[in-house]
Amino acid sequence: MMDALVQLRSSLHRHGWWRTLALIPRNILFRLTDFDRKHGTNTGMQAEDDAGLPREHEGYEGAPPRLFHRIIRSLDIAPARYAFIDLGSGKGKALLLASHHPFRRIIGVEYNPRLDAIAAANARIYRHPERCMHRIETVCGDAGAFELPPGDLLIYLFNPFKAAIMERMLANLESALQADGERDVLVVYQNPTQRRLLDEAPFLERVAYREYRTRRLRKMPIGRVAVYRNH
Ligand SMILES: C[S@@+](CC[C@H](N)C(=O)[O-])C[C@H]1O[C@@H](n2cnc3c(N)ncnc32)[C@H](O)[C@@H]1O
């Protein structure tokens, strides 16, 4: 309540009455729908999130919930067969969302120790009626060198890194597939800036590419997703 009053006073000071009144519905909507406000978690972007990281890293941004669930549903898979692995898991937002689906395992790999610790705390805090997976495994390390677990995998990439790390990650995946080629591996690549590298990987086949749009609000574009499968 105090928060809201301070914000109102500062808005009046900066924007005056008319603009402040016009902004109220938008602010109410934000407060009602904001993920962290609702769940007591810390998944938002902060200026210090990307401080001091190598240039090959992309910055932190948490997965958008509705889009995430739309993507998972579009795969038409039985989640219980797959380990969900988020390479570049940040503060664990995609891991929290994955916990609504009955995956065999849920694992996040994050390079930045600060974000990894926040992800582990979020996994403990997050209560959602649709959460069905309690165990979320968080690993602090380089996704390009992560030893992939056995069995069927759903590897989720939300634009985590640039070409050099992606090449290492693909070489790592190729070795894992050579060791066990019988399994099913799906790679879901959201905002696929390094898509060419996956398109050219001889052990992967692109099975879908889709631009997602909002269902209402003038059908605005909200994300592009490429899906690959091993063969
Ligand atoms: C766009 S964020 C995605 C966060 C998370 N996947 C989600 O959807 O909520 C990308 C994350 O990848 C991490 N990252 C970048 N390079 C990495 C690497 N080599 N190993 C592990 N994590 C990395 C960044 O620190 C950042 O937190």
Side-chain angles (χ1 to χ4, degrees):
M1 186 65 185
M2 274 310 282
D3 246 22
L5 286 175
V6 171
Q7 210 183 344
L8 179 66
R9 197 189 307 154
S10 128
S11 178
L12 284 171
H13 181 69
R14 284 169 52 208
H15 306 298
W17 274 103
W18 287 115
R19 178 98 183 104
T20 297
L21 283 175
L23 286 171
I24 283 175
R26 200 200 289 175
N27 271 305
I28 290 175
L29 189 68
F30 174 77
R31 278 168 182 267
L32 289 176
T33 57
D34 180 60
F35 187 90
D36 288 336
R37 270 182 185 271
K38 256 169 125 171
H39 302 295
T41 49
N42 168 8
T43 62
M45 280 191 274
Q46 286 160 343
E48 63 270 30
D49 288 343
D50 306 320
L53 288 173
R55 288 212 333 259
E56 281 297 325
H57 288 222
E58 293 289 359
Y60 172 71
E61 182 187 348
R66 278 196 200 164
L67 177 56
F68 179 88
H69 295 305
R70 274 172 79 181
I71 295 168
I72 298 298
R73 279 194 297 268
S74 79
L75 300 175
D76 201 18
I77 55 168
R81 273 182 52 195
Y82 295 81
F84 176 92
I85 303 182
D86 184 5
L87 295 179
S89 45
K91 298 183 184 177
K93 189 154 176 210
L95 303 175
L96 303 181
L97 300 171
S99 75
H100 296 204
H101 304 266
F103 287 111
R104 185 165 53 80
R105 286 174 78 178
I106 297 177
I107 306 171
V109 184
E110 170 56 45
Y111 184 88
N112 181 337
R114 189 180 145 264
L115 301 191
D116 175 62
I118 294 173
N122 282 334
R124 286 191 295 273
I125 291 167
Y126 186 64
R127 308 246 184 287
H128 190 290
E130 283 170 38
R131 179 171 183 175
C132 61
M133 290 292 296
H134 187 69
R135 186 164 147 78
I136 291 177
E137 301 165 61
T138 56
V139 178
C140 189
D142 176 14
F146 177 67
E147 189 178 333
L148 293 160
D152 296 340
L153 307 178
L154 195 175
I155 298 175
Y156 175 70
L157 305 168
F158 181 15
N159 189 24
F161 25 72
K162 301 195 174 86
I165 302 174
M166 189 62 88
E167 278 165 2
R168 282 199 285 114
M169 191 286 283
L170 287 171
N172 195 24
L173 175 57
E174 186 172 21
S175 317
L177 287 170
Q178 277 162 358
D180 174 8
E182 290 306 299
R183 55 186 167 164
D184 190 29
V185 175
L186 285 165
V187 181
V188 172
Y189 190 8
Q190 188 172 340
N191 292 5
T193 57
Q194 307 301 324
R195 191 176 129 196
R196 187 183 56 78
L197 293 175
L198 281 82
D199 285 345
E200 290 172 0
F203 51 94
L204 291 178
E205 176 189 9
R206 177 150 50 84
V207 291
Y209 179 77
R210 184 167 166 196
E211 182 170 291
Y212 284 82
R213 291 173 174 270
T214 49
R215 291 201 161 119
R216 277 168 272 163
L217 289 175
R218 285 175 286 155
K219 307 246 177 266
M220 306 281 276
I222 45 174
R224 286 168 300 123
V225 178
V227 181
Y228 299 82
R229 183 167 242 146
N230 62 318
H231 56 182

